[in-house]
Amino acid sequence: MSAYAAEGQVPVIELRHVDKHFGDLHVLKDICLSVQRGEVVVIIGPSGSGKSTLCRTINRMETIDAGEILIDGVPLPEEGKDLAKLRAQIGMVFQSFNLFAHMNILENVTLGPTDVLKRPRKEAREEAMQLLKRVGVESQAHKVPAQLSGGQQQRVAIARSLAMHPKAILFDEPTSALDPEMIGEVLEVMTELAQEGMTMLVVTHEMNFARRVADRVIFMDDGSIVEEGTPEAFFENPQTERARNFLNSIKNH
Amino acid sequence: MRDARTNIRDALYEAPGPRTRRLTAVGTALTLAALVVLIALVIRRFYEAGQLDSKYWALFAKYTTWRYIGKGLVGTVEAALMAGTLTFALGFTYMLLRISRLKAARAVGTALVEFTRGVPTLLFIYFFFLVVPQLGIKLSAFLKITLPVAISASGVVAEVLRSGVNAVPNGQREAAYSLGMRERSVFLKVVFPQAFRIVIPAMISELVIVLKDTTFAYVVSFPDLMQNAKVLISNYDSLLAVYLVVAVIYILINYLLNKASDFMARRRNQVKGAAAV
Ligand SMILES: Nc1ncnc2c1ncn2[C@@H]1O[C@H](COP(=O)(O)OP(=O)(O)OP(=O)(O)O)[C@@H](O)[C@H]1O
Ligand SMILES: [Mg+2]
């Protein structure tokens, strides 16, 4: 998979010295990070370390206090049409799915393409059906989200992102709200995406997924990136005390 | 509304045991008996006063009476629909002002809500009946009743809608923004449709109030059910009979509205309930 991350290319996502506070709380401290085309980067770290916040700054769901965020080498717009355009190019999958509760599954997937990309309804529906098939929920197309299991809902959320043909997808703990027996089906879809070359930034506690799929693992603690490396290097031979402690604490579960 | 109450009752009390069930049965029987006695007393009073004489009821044997009542009913329904639509349009506008990013707009919205909620309906009606014509503005009787009734209810509706908007989980907005949707689309296609579903029962309660407020139509002589009832009373000198029949009609309409509200609330809960499966 690392083959996709050709050296010397402009990264799809780049953060330069990003800082963010929530009031007095310093949640992101001098974050520097880049994600190359086709790369899968997994972020791990203890609760409250700023993983979600980091993810959310990338499509400006959260603003930043200092530093720079570049998408394909272009600074992130601050507002308006340009920001909306950019958000359309970066998918986001949430822990709590956030499917549109009043629409059926098919409408959930076609809303973005029709409203934002102005694609004809018929065309959008056809593609949506293909995407739903790809994530294995095409038989549910006319149900509303509340009628689906969590695993199915999250797969629909992934299809909804894909319908926008994004340059990259951000996943914020996509399996944390799921019953154990449904985690596998979602990770499977994500693994397939990674294999097809999708650029992905994934916050997760699924260490096996990180080992198998990630090109790079980033360990965050207390608002900083503490350690960063290949999954083998990170899991077999963590360099810092804090990473060792964290890995021990989750092993004991 | 009824549905919500049942749910609350389910939540308030645990399932009754045999003793509670016996007590409940005795209590129900006593209440019913008291009610029957009360009604019998009332009927006797009316009988003694001669109000139950057939001469007071004879008018209901005539087709023309029912046609006149029917016309009044149509007037009431028209006025309620018009006032309801206006109420919604006004309430929606104040609500948009109240959730605006601009401080000045929010202040205007709050002022409108407080003003319309605070002033009694009848005062608005007198304003349109007595003051507006003096300003040289000629309005039809229909507008003279529907405008003030709508204005009077609009503030409450604005607040009901706003509570619905606030009840939509933030994740819904975030998901929409993350697709690249613009503010207006997010509101009109994602937030408001869900907010509206949430407040349907409260909106129907408000529609019942609007409908009842249209009975003030007699002030401006608009021929609604109430106004026509008054005409029948003065023509036939049959106060109690006419008022009873008209009251039953109002109760039926409002009962149907509440049923519709129950139905919609239940349909929403069914969809929600499926999530638990
Ligand atoms: N909107 C907010 N306002 C104030 N503080 C916030 C807000 N969002 C997050 N925080 C705080 O910022 C810190 C980082 O939060 P964040 O959600 O990024 O952590 P996380 O690493 O994703 O944790 P978790 O694993 O629990 O999801 C936490 O201390 C959190 O309480
Ligand atoms: Mg988080």
Side-chain angles (χ1 to χ4, degrees), chain B:
Chain B
M1 290 277 96
R2 195 75 44 77
D3 200 81
R5 232 179 292 149
T6 331
N7 288 344
I8 289 168
R9 191 164 58 211
D10 290 347
L12 279 181
Y13 304 116
E14 53 181 354
R19 210 174 83 90
T20 316
R21 271 204 299 270
R22 219 162 33 238
L23 280 176
T24 314
V26 172
T28 309
L30 284 177
T31 316
L32 278 178
L35 211 64
V36 167
V37 169
L38 198 72
I39 291 173
L41 282 175
V42 169
I43 290 177
R44 216 183 89 193
R45 285 290 302 156
F46 281 140
Y47 181 75
E48 283 166 4
Q51 278 287 345
L52 294 186
D53 274 14
S54 60
K55 66 171 177 185
Y56 291 121
W57 295 83
L59 75 157
F60 291 112
K62 286 193 208 157
Y63 166 69
T64 47
T65 305
W66 288 106
R67 201 179 57 187
Y68 198 56
I69 289 178
K71 272 189 188 156
L73 183 59
V74 169
T76 288
V77 170
E78 277 174 355
L81 283 180
M82 179 70 176
T85 310
L86 282 171
T87 305
F88 182 80
L90 289 171
F92 186 79
T93 309
Y94 307 167
M95 181 269 297
L96 286 182
L97 288 170
R98 287 212 65 176
I99 63 174
S100 164
R101 232 196 281 282
L102 303 173
K103 205 169 172 182
R106 283 204 303 274
V108 171
T110 309
L112 284 168
V113 165
E114 293 306 333
F115 175 68
T116 53
R117 276 201 306 194
V119 177
T121 312
L122 203 48
L123 246 145
F124 282 120
I125 292 173
Y126 279 126
F127 177 79
F128 276 88
F129 182 49
L130 301 172
V131 182
V132 169
Q134 296 209 335
L135 302 174
I137 302 168
K138 279 216 170 71
L139 292 177
S140 64
F142 185 61
L143 283 179
K144 274 189 204 156
I145 180 64
T146 51
L147 276 175
V149 165
I151 290 171
S152 168
S154 57
V156 178
V157 164
E159 287 302 275
V160 167
L161 289 175
R162 195 168 67 103
S163 74
V165 166
N166 289 337
V168 174
N170 221 9
Q172 297 285 313
R173 292 180 185 85
E174 285 191 350
Y177 281 120
S178 79
L179 289 174
M181 288 173 69
R182 305 297 304 277
E183 215 158 86
R184 181 207 294 256
S185 275
V186 172
F187 187 78
L188 291 180
K189 297 186 180 174
V190 174
V191 177
F192 192 71
Q194 295 190 51
F196 190 70
R197 269 157 229 234
I198 294 172
V199 300
I200 280 177
M203 289 293 281
I204 291 190
S205 301
E206 204 45 40
L207 188 59
V208 168
I209 292 175
V210 164
L211 186 114
K212 291 205 282 188
D213 276 356
T214 60
T215 54
F216 288 128
Y218 68 85
V219 175
V220 297
S221 305
F222 175 74
D224 80 328
L225 189 52
M226 196 65 183
Q227 164 70 12
N228 285 7
K230 279 189 179 304
V231 174
L232 283 176
I233 288 166
S234 57
N235 283 353
Y236 291 95
D237 189 28
S238 166
L239 187 85
L240 180 82
V242 172
Y243 273 153
L244 267 179
V245 168
V246 165
V248 167
I249 294 176
Y250 275 113
I251 289 170
L252 276 179
I253 299 175
N254 289 330
Y255 178 78
L256 285 179
L257 279 174
N258 282 323
K259 274 282 154 220
S261 153
D262 282 3
F263 175 74
M264 283 189 258
R266 218 172 310 122
R267 231 181 40 174
R268 228 185 63 214
N269 289 346
Q270 265 167 14
V271 173
K272 283 246 181 71
V277 179

Side-chain angles (χ1 to χ4, degrees), chain A residues 22 25 27 45-54 62 172-173 205:
Chain A
F22 279 123
L25 193 66
V27 273
S47 181
S49 55
K51 308 179 296 292
S52 297
T53 310
L54 169 59
E62 299 285 357
D172 187 5
E173 301 202 30
H205 294 298

Side-chain angles (χ1 to χ4, degrees), chain A residues 13-246:
Chain A
I13 300 169
E14 186 175 7
L15 282 76
R16 294 182 184 158
H17 304 288
V18 167
D19 267 276
K20 164 138 192 106
H21 296 78
F22 279 123
D24 290 338
L25 193 66
H26 199 168
V27 273
L28 294 179
K29 298 174 183 163
D30 194 34
I31 299 287
C32 295
L33 162 72
S34 60
V35 182
Q36 300 293 334
R37 192 165 307 286
E39 210 183 2
V40 177
V41 175
V42 163
I43 303 179
I44 64 173
S47 181
S49 55
K51 308 179 296 292
S52 297
T53 310
L54 169 59
C55 232
R56 292 160 54 81
T57 58
I58 294 170
N59 61 2
R60 218 179 150 81
M61 288 289 142
E62 299 285 357
T63 57
I64 57 176
D65 302 336
E68 251 189 313
I69 298 177
L70 306 154
I71 304 297
D72 265 348
V74 180
L76 191 58
E78 294 196 355
E79 60 195 340
K81 210 178 193 154
D82 295 336
L83 175 60
K85 249 192 193 135
L86 189 127
R87 281 175 172 160
Q89 299 171 7
I90 304 282
M92 188 159 206
V93 174
F94 303 84
Q95 180 175 347
S96 48
F97 330 133
N98 294 347
L99 294 182
F100 303 126
H102 61 305
M103 295 180 170
N104 72 24
I105 298 308
L106 190 59
E107 289 163 344
N108 262 277
V109 182
T110 54
L111 180 62
T114 53
D115 182 83
V116 178
L117 306 176
K118 307 293 178 209
R119 296 192 45 198
R121 193 164 298 273
K122 184 158 172 284
E123 201 182 296
R125 288 171 76 95
E126 279 163 12
E127 196 190 342
M129 282 311 292
Q130 279 168 12
L131 287 169
L132 290 176
K133 198 163 183 175
R134 180 163 156 198
V135 299
V137 287
E138 77 273 24
S139 59
Q140 318 288 324
H142 297 285
K143 294 189 182 165
V144 292
Q147 293 170 307
L148 268 60
S149 74
Q152 290 172 326
Q153 289 191 54
Q154 196 60 299
R155 286 183 281 151
V156 173
I158 293 173
R160 177 173 69 177
S161 283
L162 289 173
M164 300 299 289
H165 299 282
K167 286 179 179 163
I169 304 185
L170 313 168
F171 293 84
D172 187 5
E173 301 202 30
T175 57
S176 296
L178 297 176
D179 292 336
E181 72 271 20
M182 293 171 188
I183 292 176
E185 64 195 47
V186 171
L187 291 180
E188 200 177 307
V189 169
M190 290 170 62
T191 306
E192 275 167 25
L193 276 186
Q195 281 162 356
E196 287 161 18
M198 177 58 74
T199 308
M200 294 161 60
L201 185 66
V202 186
V203 177
T204 186
H205 294 298
E206 295 295 327
M207 296 305 149
N208 284 328
F209 174 82
R211 271 174 207 270
R212 277 189 299 115
V213 181
D215 296 306
R216 199 144 47 96
V217 174
I218 287 175
F219 174 67
M220 275 186 84
D221 191 13
D222 197 22
S224 306
I225 293 180
V226 176
E227 203 172 324
E228 160 167 16
T230 62
E232 302 82 49
F234 177 76
F235 287 112
E236 305 313 327
N237 192 15
Q239 299 297 302
T240 59
E241 185 70 36
R242 282 197 274 179
R244 274 194 292 276
N245 286 343
F246 176 73

